[in-house]
Amino acid sequence: MRIGIYGSSFDPITYSHLFTAATVAHRRRLDKVIFVPCSSKRHDKKLQTEDAHRLHMLKLALAGSTHKTNKDGEPLFEISTVEMDALPGETYTYDTMMHMKRRYPNDELFFIMGSDLLEGLSNWGNAEKLVAGFNFIVMSREGYPTADLIADDALLRNHDEHFLIMSKGINMGISSTYIRDEIRKGGDPSFLLPDACLQYIYENGIYKEPSV
């Protein structure tokens, strides 16, 4: 199989996340996309709500996409809590990809990321092993020229064959930050994320106050 690993905070998950996953799966002929919500144990992520809420919203969102199947008729999307379940210090993307490699030893793995993350990729935990050992599907984002960012970084350019660059073909200006801000300011973020997720946010009073 060809499997995409889609790691993010999903704080909350948005229609942009879902569109990205579906677009990558279709255009790169993936058999499965595994959503991996990051752990609150990571020191490089400032999360706005607890793991349980983010995971539940992700489950609600994917429950509404059960019609998405691969060529064998199996669900295209699934969730892994490998990072949430990991011990502190074992939540790096490299650790996640090694876990997936052990789980799917005979399959092709691709880490799905936005081009904005290329700037700091060389500083990630075990970056050299990660870049040398795995393939990446990089979604171009405005203001982050993918080819230039790879060329300007010695580690990335020496493994540029591992980076598959693609554009969504449409700019979806939907971010988790925007949705959180709308909720805090009494706005209406309807149509930016699944209704079930938005209802869950309101019912649980999530994002009403900035994280401290």
Side-chain angles (χ1 to χ4, degrees):
M1 291 192 298
R2 290 167 60 85
I3 303 173
I5 311 302
Y6 192 9
S8 181
S9 57
F10 302 116
D11 194 14
I13 186 169
T14 73
Y15 275 132
S16 185
H17 289 128
L18 296 171
F19 178 78
T20 295
T23 300
V24 171
H26 174 70
R27 290 169 57 186
R28 293 305 179 192
R29 304 296 185 266
L30 301 184
D31 300 290
K32 185 191 298 287
V33 175
I34 302 177
F35 288 72
V36 183
C38 73
S39 170
S40 57
K41 303 182 189 76
R42 287 183 59 166
H43 299 298
D44 59 333
K45 294 280 189 180
K46 185 177 181 181
L47 302 173
Q48 304 299 306
T49 192
E50 59 191 70
D51 290 357
H53 284 317
R54 291 183 297 113
L55 178 60
H56 190 77
M57 287 187 283
L58 185 55
K59 290 178 178 178
L60 289 173
L62 298 195
S65 61
T66 54
H67 62 287
K68 299 296 295 183
T69 58
N70 60 26
K71 63 180 182 296
D72 296 320
E74 298 176 346
L76 180 62
F77 299 153
E78 70 175 56
I79 300 170
S80 170
T81 59
V82 57
E83 288 197 10
M84 288 184 169
D85 298 336
L87 296 173
E90 297 179 356
T91 58
Y92 293 118
T93 298
Y94 174 74
D95 299 314
T96 298
M97 294 304 289
M98 286 302 296
H99 168 87
M100 295 299 177
K101 186 175 182 178
R102 290 190 293 270
R103 182 179 176 187
Y104 302 101
N106 301 315
D107 298 312
E108 291 185 86
L109 300 177
F110 302 86
F111 184 74
I112 301 170
M113 63 186 295
S115 61
D116 56 311
L117 297 178
L118 289 172
E119 284 188 322
L121 181 54
S122 290
N123 298 318
W124 291 13
N126 292 309
E128 292 190 15
K129 292 180 180 179
L130 175 65
V131 173
F134 295 97
N135 292 317
F136 301 78
I137 296 175
V138 184
M139 302 293 293
S140 296
R141 290 186 174 169
E142 187 175 357
Y144 298 92
T146 309
D148 291 342
L149 289 170
I150 292 174
D152 289 343
D153 187 294
L155 175 61
L156 306 190
R157 67 172 175 262
N158 283 316
H159 296 283
D160 61 359
E161 74 279 6
H162 290 184
F163 294 89
L164 305 178
I165 303 171
M166 63 178 289
S167 171
K168 294 179 186 177
I170 182 174
N171 183 18
M172 295 186 71
I174 303 172
S175 71
S176 298
T177 301
Y178 182 90
I179 290 172
R180 294 195 303 264
D181 287 345
E182 282 294 287
I183 292 171
R184 286 179 188 130
K185 296 173 183 177
D188 182 7
S190 299
F191 307 108
L192 301 182
L193 73 168
D195 288 343
C197 296
L198 184 57
Q199 181 179 353
Y200 180 83
I201 290 170
Y202 287 147
E203 289 176 350
N204 290 274
I206 303 172
Y207 307 129
K208 284 193 173 183
E209 299 293 336
S211 177
V212 293

PDB file of all heavy atoms in Angstrom, residues 46-64:
ATOM      1  N   LYS A  46       2.200  24.581  21.131  1.00  0.00           N
ATOM      2  CA  LYS A  46       1.373  25.224  22.150  1.00  0.00           C
ATOM      3  C   LYS A  46      -0.083  24.941  21.803  1.00  0.00           C
ATOM      4  O   LYS A  46      -0.666  25.580  20.926  1.00  0.00           O
ATOM      5  CB  LYS A  46       1.631  26.730  22.204  1.00  0.00           C
ATOM      6  CG  LYS A  46       0.867  27.419  23.337  1.00  0.00           C
ATOM      7  CD  LYS A  46       1.190  28.894  23.425  1.00  0.00           C
ATOM      8  CE  LYS A  46       0.429  29.540  24.579  1.00  0.00           C
ATOM      9  NZ  LYS A  46       0.711  30.989  24.684  1.00  0.00           N
ATOM     10  N   LEU A  47      -0.647  23.971  22.470  1.00  0.00           N
ATOM     11  CA  LEU A  47      -2.008  23.540  22.160  1.00  0.00           C
ATOM     12  C   LEU A  47      -3.024  24.355  22.943  1.00  0.00           C
ATOM     13  O   LEU A  47      -2.750  24.846  24.028  1.00  0.00           O
ATOM     14  CB  LEU A  47      -2.153  22.048  22.477  1.00  0.00           C
ATOM     15  CG  LEU A  47      -1.175  21.142  21.719  1.00  0.00           C
ATOM     16  CD1 LEU A  47      -1.288  19.715  22.218  1.00  0.00           C
ATOM     17  CD2 LEU A  47      -1.423  21.219  20.225  1.00  0.00           C
ATOM     18  N   GLN A  48      -4.211  24.464  22.367  1.00  0.00           N
ATOM     19  CA  GLN A  48      -5.258  25.294  22.959  1.00  0.00           C
ATOM     20  C   GLN A  48      -6.287  24.485  23.743  1.00  0.00           C
ATOM     21  O   GLN A  48      -7.091  25.055  24.470  1.00  0.00           O
ATOM     22  CB  GLN A  48      -5.966  26.084  21.862  1.00  0.00           C
ATOM     23  CG  GLN A  48      -5.023  26.927  21.015  1.00  0.00           C
ATOM     24  CD  GLN A  48      -4.294  27.974  21.837  1.00  0.00           C
ATOM     25  OE1 GLN A  48      -4.913  28.763  22.539  1.00  0.00           O
ATOM     26  NE2 GLN A  48      -2.971  27.995  21.754  1.00  0.00           N
ATOM     27  N   THR A  49      -6.284  23.178  23.583  1.00  0.00           N
ATOM     28  CA  THR A  49      -7.204  22.338  24.353  1.00  0.00           C
ATOM     29  C   THR A  49      -6.584  20.972  24.556  1.00  0.00           C
ATOM     30  O   THR A  49      -5.589  20.613  23.920  1.00  0.00           O
ATOM     31  CB  THR A  49      -8.572  22.222  23.653  1.00  0.00           C
ATOM     32  OG1 THR A  49      -9.516  21.633  24.556  1.00  0.00           O
ATOM     33  CG2 THR A  49      -8.493  21.373  22.402  1.00  0.00           C
ATOM     34  N   GLU A  50      -7.144  20.203  25.447  1.00  0.00           N
ATOM     35  CA  GLU A  50      -6.534  18.936  25.840  1.00  0.00           C
ATOM     36  C   GLU A  50      -6.665  17.873  24.762  1.00  0.00           C
ATOM     37  O   GLU A  50      -7.497  17.955  23.852  1.00  0.00           O
ATOM     38  CB  GLU A  50      -7.152  18.447  27.150  1.00  0.00           C
ATOM     39  CG  GLU A  50      -8.647  18.227  27.088  1.00  0.00           C
ATOM     40  CD  GLU A  50      -9.252  18.005  28.462  1.00  0.00           C
ATOM     41  OE1 GLU A  50      -9.309  18.965  29.259  1.00  0.00           O
ATOM     42  OE2 GLU A  50      -9.661  16.863  28.719  1.00  0.00           O
ATOM     43  N   ASP A  51      -5.831  16.844  24.886  1.00  0.00           N
ATOM     44  CA  ASP A  51      -5.779  15.775  23.894  1.00  0.00           C
ATOM     45  C   ASP A  51      -7.143  15.128  23.658  1.00  0.00           C
ATOM     46  O   ASP A  51      -7.526  14.867  22.513  1.00  0.00           O
ATOM     47  CB  ASP A  51      -4.787  14.689  24.328  1.00  0.00           C
ATOM     48  CG  ASP A  51      -3.343  15.155  24.255  1.00  0.00           C
ATOM     49  OD1 ASP A  51      -3.107  16.302  23.810  1.00  0.00           O
ATOM     50  OD2 ASP A  51      -2.450  14.371  24.633  1.00  0.00           O
ATOM     51  N   ALA A  52      -7.868  14.857  24.739  1.00  0.00           N
ATOM     52  CA  ALA A  52      -9.137  14.138  24.617  1.00  0.00           C
ATOM     53  C   ALA A  52     -10.125  14.898  23.737  1.00  0.00           C
ATOM     54  O   ALA A  52     -10.839  14.290  22.919  1.00  0.00           O
ATOM     55  CB  ALA A  52      -9.740  13.896  25.998  1.00  0.00           C
ATOM     56  N   HIS A  53     -10.186  16.219  23.862  1.00  0.00           N
ATOM     57  CA  HIS A  53     -11.093  17.020  23.048  1.00  0.00           C
ATOM     58  C   HIS A  53     -10.680  16.995  21.578  1.00  0.00           C
ATOM     59  O   HIS A  53     -11.520  16.820  20.683  1.00  0.00           O
ATOM     60  CB  HIS A  53     -11.120  18.473  23.541  1.00  0.00           C
ATOM     61  CG  HIS A  53     -11.919  18.680  24.790  1.00  0.00           C
ATOM     62  ND1 HIS A  53     -13.156  18.095  24.997  1.00  0.00           N
ATOM     63  CD2 HIS A  53     -11.657  19.429  25.907  1.00  0.00           C
ATOM     64  CE1 HIS A  53     -13.617  18.468  26.179  1.00  0.00           C
ATOM     65  NE2 HIS A  53     -12.733  19.267  26.745  1.00  0.00           N
ATOM     66  N   ARG A  54      -9.386  17.159  21.321  1.00  0.00           N
ATOM     67  CA  ARG A  54      -8.923  17.174  19.931  1.00  0.00           C
ATOM     68  C   ARG A  54      -9.152  15.830  19.257  1.00  0.00           C
ATOM     69  O   ARG A  54      -9.552  15.763  18.091  1.00  0.00           O
ATOM     70  CB  ARG A  54      -7.448  17.562  19.870  1.00  0.00           C
ATOM     71  CG  ARG A  54      -7.194  19.015  20.254  1.00  0.00           C
ATOM     72  CD  ARG A  54      -5.735  19.409  20.117  1.00  0.00           C
ATOM     73  NE  ARG A  54      -4.867  18.661  21.013  1.00  0.00           N
ATOM     74  CZ  ARG A  54      -3.956  17.778  20.623  1.00  0.00           C
ATOM     75  NH1 ARG A  54      -3.784  17.531  19.335  1.00  0.00           N
ATOM     76  NH2 ARG A  54      -3.209  17.142  21.508  1.00  0.00           N
ATOM     77  N   LEU A  55      -8.921  14.766  20.002  1.00  0.00           N
ATOM     78  CA  LEU A  55      -9.133  13.433  19.458  1.00  0.00           C
ATOM     79  C   LEU A  55     -10.604  13.188  19.177  1.00  0.00           C
ATOM     80  O   LEU A  55     -10.972  12.640  18.127  1.00  0.00           O
ATOM     81  CB  LEU A  55      -8.593  12.380  20.435  1.00  0.00           C
ATOM     82  CG  LEU A  55      -8.784  10.914  20.011  1.00  0.00           C
ATOM     83  CD1 LEU A  55      -8.087  10.642  18.690  1.00  0.00           C
ATOM     84  CD2 LEU A  55      -8.251   9.987  21.105  1.00  0.00           C
ATOM     85  N   HIS A  56     -11.470  13.612  20.082  1.00  0.00           N
ATOM     86  CA  HIS A  56     -12.898  13.397  19.889  1.00  0.00           C
ATOM     87  C   HIS A  56     -13.400  14.174  18.674  1.00  0.00           C
ATOM     88  O   HIS A  56     -14.197  13.648  17.880  1.00  0.00           O
ATOM     89  CB  HIS A  56     -13.675  13.812  21.133  1.00  0.00           C
ATOM     90  CG  HIS A  56     -15.113  13.390  21.100  1.00  0.00           C
ATOM     91  ND1 HIS A  56     -15.520  12.095  21.349  1.00  0.00           N
ATOM     92  CD2 HIS A  56     -16.252  14.081  20.818  1.00  0.00           C
ATOM     93  CE1 HIS A  56     -16.827  12.005  21.232  1.00  0.00           C
ATOM     94  NE2 HIS A  56     -17.297  13.204  20.908  1.00  0.00           N
ATOM     95  N   MET A  57     -12.937  15.412  18.501  1.00  0.00           N
ATOM     96  CA  MET A  57     -13.358  16.192  17.340  1.00  0.00           C
ATOM     97  C   MET A  57     -12.871  15.556  16.042  1.00  0.00           C
ATOM     98  O   MET A  57     -13.580  15.555  15.021  1.00  0.00           O
ATOM     99  CB  MET A  57     -12.846  17.629  17.459  1.00  0.00           C
ATOM    100  CG  MET A  57     -13.596  18.454  18.499  1.00  0.00           C
ATOM    101  SD  MET A  57     -13.127  20.208  18.507  1.00  0.00           S
ATOM    102  CE  MET A  57     -11.549  20.140  19.351  1.00  0.00           C
ATOM    103  N   LEU A  58     -11.673  14.996  16.069  1.00  0.00           N
ATOM    104  CA  LEU A  58     -11.143  14.317  14.895  1.00  0.00           C
ATOM    105  C   LEU A  58     -12.001  13.106  14.539  1.00  0.00           C
ATOM    106  O   LEU A  58     -12.321  12.866  13.367  1.00  0.00           O
ATOM    107  CB  LEU A  58      -9.696  13.896  15.159  1.00  0.00           C
ATOM    108  CG  LEU A  58      -8.908  13.268  14.013  1.00  0.00           C
ATOM    109  CD1 LEU A  58      -8.910  14.166  12.782  1.00  0.00           C
ATOM    110  CD2 LEU A  58      -7.479  12.976  14.455  1.00  0.00           C
ATOM    111  N   LYS A  59     -12.415  12.359  15.561  1.00  0.00           N
ATOM    112  CA  LYS A  59     -13.287  11.204  15.326  1.00  0.00           C
ATOM    113  C   LYS A  59     -14.633  11.633  14.744  1.00  0.00           C
ATOM    114  O   LYS A  59     -15.173  10.991  13.840  1.00  0.00           O
ATOM    115  CB  LYS A  59     -13.498  10.433  16.623  1.00  0.00           C
ATOM    116  CG  LYS A  59     -12.261   9.689  17.106  1.00  0.00           C
ATOM    117  CD  LYS A  59     -12.534   8.971  18.434  1.00  0.00           C
ATOM    118  CE  LYS A  59     -11.318   8.183  18.894  1.00  0.00           C
ATOM    119  NZ  LYS A  59     -11.556   7.510  20.206  1.00  0.00           N
ATOM    120  N   LEU A  60     -15.180  12.733  15.266  1.00  0.00           N
ATOM    121  CA  LEU A  60     -16.444  13.240  14.744  1.00  0.00           C
ATOM    122  C   LEU A  60     -16.309  13.642  13.276  1.00  0.00           C
ATOM    123  O   LEU A  60     -17.188  13.363  12.457  1.00  0.00           O
ATOM    124  CB  LEU A  60     -16.902  14.446  15.569  1.00  0.00           C
ATOM    125  CG  LEU A  60     -17.396  14.183  16.987  1.00  0.00           C
ATOM    126  CD1 LEU A  60     -17.648  15.504  17.711  1.00  0.00           C
ATOM    127  CD2 LEU A  60     -18.672  13.340  16.968  1.00  0.00           C
ATOM    128  N   ALA A  61     -15.206  14.306  12.947  1.00  0.00           N
ATOM    129  CA  ALA A  61     -14.986  14.761  11.580  1.00  0.00           C
ATOM    130  C   ALA A  61     -14.859  13.588  10.614  1.00  0.00           C
ATOM    131  O   ALA A  61     -15.460  13.590   9.521  1.00  0.00           O
ATOM    132  CB  ALA A  61     -13.739  15.627  11.507  1.00  0.00           C
ATOM    133  N   LEU A  62     -14.107  12.576  11.002  1.00  0.00           N
ATOM    134  CA  LEU A  62     -13.894  11.445  10.098  1.00  0.00           C
ATOM    135  C   LEU A  62     -15.116  10.545  10.025  1.00  0.00           C
ATOM    136  O   LEU A  62     -15.316   9.840   9.025  1.00  0.00           O
ATOM    137  CB  LEU A  62     -12.671  10.641  10.522  1.00  0.00           C
ATOM    138  CG  LEU A  62     -11.334  11.396  10.483  1.00  0.00           C
ATOM    139  CD1 LEU A  62     -10.170  10.419  10.569  1.00  0.00           C
ATOM    140  CD2 LEU A  62     -11.210  12.241   9.230  1.00  0.00           C
ATOM    141  N   ALA A  63     -15.955  10.584  11.051  1.00  0.00           N
ATOM    142  CA  ALA A  63     -17.200   9.809  11.003  1.00  0.00           C
ATOM    143  C   ALA A  63     -18.098  10.313   9.879  1.00  0.00           C
ATOM    144  O   ALA A  63     -18.911   9.564   9.343  1.00  0.00           O
ATOM    145  CB  ALA A  63     -17.926   9.899  12.337  1.00  0.00           C
ATOM    146  N   GLY A  64     -17.939  11.574   9.517  1.00  0.00           N
ATOM    147  CA  GLY A  64     -18.733  12.141   8.435  1.00  0.00           C
ATOM    148  C   GLY A  64     -18.128  11.921   7.073  1.00  0.00           C
ATOM    149  O   GLY A  64     -18.667  12.397   6.060  1.00  0.00           O
TER     150      GLY A  64
END
